[in-house]
């Protein structure tokens, strides 16, 4: 296996930094409805926090860490902040170990609620490491939503999912943490409504061989 190299050694040019900054800004704009004024404070805070983590990772120039694929499960509350139609939420994710660009790794997941809503999504996440145990991972994904008897998230039911995972890594790679994600359509497909919702929960992930 070749030795780990830092992102700067992989590409020391200013163009590389510019591209990474565009990724950061692009993720923020995407979940804010491509800059529409109806983005609420919650989404803006998430976007700024994620942008700050990405920028910190760029400036820290930490070496790329090898990582195995992980399987994760989550239990929590759907519509946790809005509170218009709260329900229990259960989800599962597959987090790939391979890198698609820079330090971004793909992932895919799905979830169900006690109101028979269902959603699926796929996107990219950035695991930032703080010391030997703490991992904070902003992520962005796109997907689809089926209302069931739950909250109406607009039609067509395409969604963007954006948020943060706060995890503590135990020995052998098992991670336990808290997750907070916002889901909304951003009216990017001309939807007349964009109520949005949030999922807050506890996550457990384990590495796969």
């Amino acid at each position: 296996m070749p030795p780990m190299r830092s992102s700067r050694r992989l590409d020391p040019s200013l163009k590389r930094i510019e591209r990474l900054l565009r990724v950061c800004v692009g993720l923020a704009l995407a979940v804010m409805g491509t800059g529409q004024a109806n983005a609420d404070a919650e989404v803006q805070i998430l976007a700024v926090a994620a942008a700050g983590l990405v920028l910190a990772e760029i400036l820290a120039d930490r070496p790329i860490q090898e990582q195995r694929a992980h399987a994760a499960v989550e239990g929590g509350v759907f519509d946790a902040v809005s509170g218009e139609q709260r329900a229990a939420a259960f989800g599962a994710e597959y987090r790939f170990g391979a890198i698609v660009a820079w330090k971004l790794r793909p992932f895919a997941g799905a979830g169900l609620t006690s109101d028979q809503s269902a959603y699926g999504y796929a996107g990219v996440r950035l695991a930032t490491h703080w010391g030997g145990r703490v991992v904070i991972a902003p992520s962005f994904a796109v997907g689809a939503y089926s209302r069931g008897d739950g909250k109406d998230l607009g039609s067509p039911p395409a969604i963007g999912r954006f948020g943060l995972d706060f995890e503590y890594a135990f020995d052998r790679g098992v991670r336990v943490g808290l997750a907070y994600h916002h889901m909304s359509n951003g009216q990017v497909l001309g939807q007349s409504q964009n109520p949005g919702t949030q999922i807050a929960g506890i996550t457990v992930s384990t590495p796969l061989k």
Side-chain angles (χ1 to χ4, degrees), residues 81 115 201:
V81 174
D115 284 338

Side-chain angles (χ1 to χ4, degrees), residues 117-189:
S117 299
Y119 47 90
Y121 51 86
V124 292
R125 68 196 306 271
L126 170 66
T128 66
H129 297 263
W130 303 84
R133 300 284 187 178
V134 177
V135 180
I136 305 176
S139 65
F140 177 73
V142 294
Y145 173 75
S146 174
R147 179 182 180 181
D149 295 326
K151 188 174 184 178
D152 184 2
L153 295 185
S155 181
I159 56 169
R161 178 184 179 273
F162 181 63
L164 298 169
D165 290 287
F166 301 86
E167 301 174 313
Y168 184 87
F170 291 90
D171 294 338
R172 299 184 181 179
V174 174
R175 298 177 184 173
V176 176
L178 301 174
Y180 182 89
H181 293 89
H182 176 92
M183 294 197 310
S184 63
N185 61 52
Q187 297 183 307
V188 295
L189 296 179

Side-chain angles (χ1 to χ4, degrees), residues 185-207:
N185 61 52
Q187 297 183 307
V188 295
L189 296 179
Q191 292 94 336
S192 60
Q193 309 179 64
N194 182 29
T197 191
Q198 316 81 26
I199 298 177
I202 297 173
T203 63
V204 179
S205 71
T206 184

Side-chain angles (χ1 to χ4, degrees), residues 19 28 38 51 61 68 93 101 125 162 167:
R19 286 197 297 269
N38 63 0
D61 192 29
R68 288 182 287 172
E93 284 183 2
R125 68 196 306 271
F162 181 63
E167 301 174 313

Side-chain angles (χ1 to χ4, degrees), residues 2 16 78 82 103 108 129 132 155:
R16 177 65 166 173
F78 181 90
S82 302
K103 299 178 181 180
H129 297 263
S155 181

Side-chain angles (χ1 to χ4, degrees), residues 62-76:
R62 287 189 269 258
I64 295 173
Q65 296 198 16
E66 297 293 332
Q67 181 173 296
R68 288 182 287 172
H70 276 66
V73 294
E74 177 180 358

